Amino acid sequence: MSTLDLGIGSQIRHPKFGKGVVVETDASYYKIYFNFTAEVKTIARDYSNFELVEKKEAEYQPITIMDIEKAVDNVIKKNQPKPESPKVEIAQKWIKGMVTFSPYNPELSNKEVPIETFFHKIVMVRERLRVLEQNINNHSKLDDEDRIHLQQYITRAYGSLTTFNVLFADKADHFKGAGGKED
């Protein structure tokens, strides 16, 4: 039977299940309704132990260019990188500046970091807090009380970061604490 291509409505006789009718097909299997057991069984196309009673020609739906284009579009959409976070700009006065960390002990050396690098790290912390906030809000196993409790920690974290608001060019990008006010 492996060389036969049975269409829907083809009838076969199975040694165990008796007479059946093909009700669905795919590349590897036939789904066959057997009257004796009143069940649909999935049988591999290459199964050779059933006998053909009546063959119906398989109906093929041709694939159009439009079908291929839709499939390719879906694959591209699923694999596109996620949209980037909105561009956050550093205040003009800090561009090309340096952040200097000076230890109390004068025998130890200072650490300097370009302010743009430092600013980028702060923005990334904010973005990760936002993702965490979304995950908390959409988590299926958290109840409202747990969500509120965890949200309070995030709000406090935002409040702790208000010190860095001086670095942002746009006031809309500033961190806001519990009261929605900047410290």
Side-chain angles (χ1 to χ4, degrees), residues 80-183:
Q80 279 183 337
K82 303 290 182 230
E84 288 187 27
S85 304
K87 182 77 174 147
V88 179
E89 293 186 27
I90 192 168
Q92 218 34 50
K93 67 182 178 180
W94 302 113
I95 293 176
K96 296 188 181 185
M98 296 295 282
V99 175
T100 305
F101 296 96
S102 302
Y104 179 73
N105 184 345
E107 295 175 12
L108 300 174
S109 60
N110 292 346
K111 169 74 174 168
E112 288 192 340
V113 177
I115 202 161
E116 284 92 350
T117 302
F118 185 74
F119 179 73
H120 176 71
K121 301 279 186 192
I122 291 168
V123 170
M124 292 306 298
V125 167
R126 182 179 69 182
E127 294 309 311
R128 289 182 179 133
L129 281 171
R130 287 180 177 171
V131 170
L132 176 61
E133 192 170 24
Q134 290 170 352
N135 287 337
I136 288 169
N137 288 335
N138 296 322
H139 198 285
S140 61
K141 294 184 180 175
L142 293 174
D143 62 24
D144 288 341
E145 186 177 330
D146 291 333
R147 281 189 186 93
I148 290 169
H149 183 70
L150 292 170
Q151 283 288 352
Q152 289 173 348
Y153 282 106
I154 291 172
T155 301
R156 282 184 237 141
Y158 282 134
S160 298
L161 294 167
T162 58
T163 301
F164 302 110
N165 284 344
V166 68
L167 299 173
F168 292 91
D170 189 351
K171 198 169 181 128
D173 291 325
H174 285 192
F175 292 102
K176 293 174 183 57
K181 300 175 187 167
E182 298 170 27
D183 290 341

Side-chain angles (χ1 to χ4, degrees), residues 14 17 28-30 32 34 41-45 47 50:
H14 189 278
F17 305 119
S28 303
Y29 298 97
Y30 293 117
I32 302 172
F34 292 98
K41 302 280 187 186
T42 302
I43 302 201
R45 280 180 171 261
Y47 180 75
F50 55 82

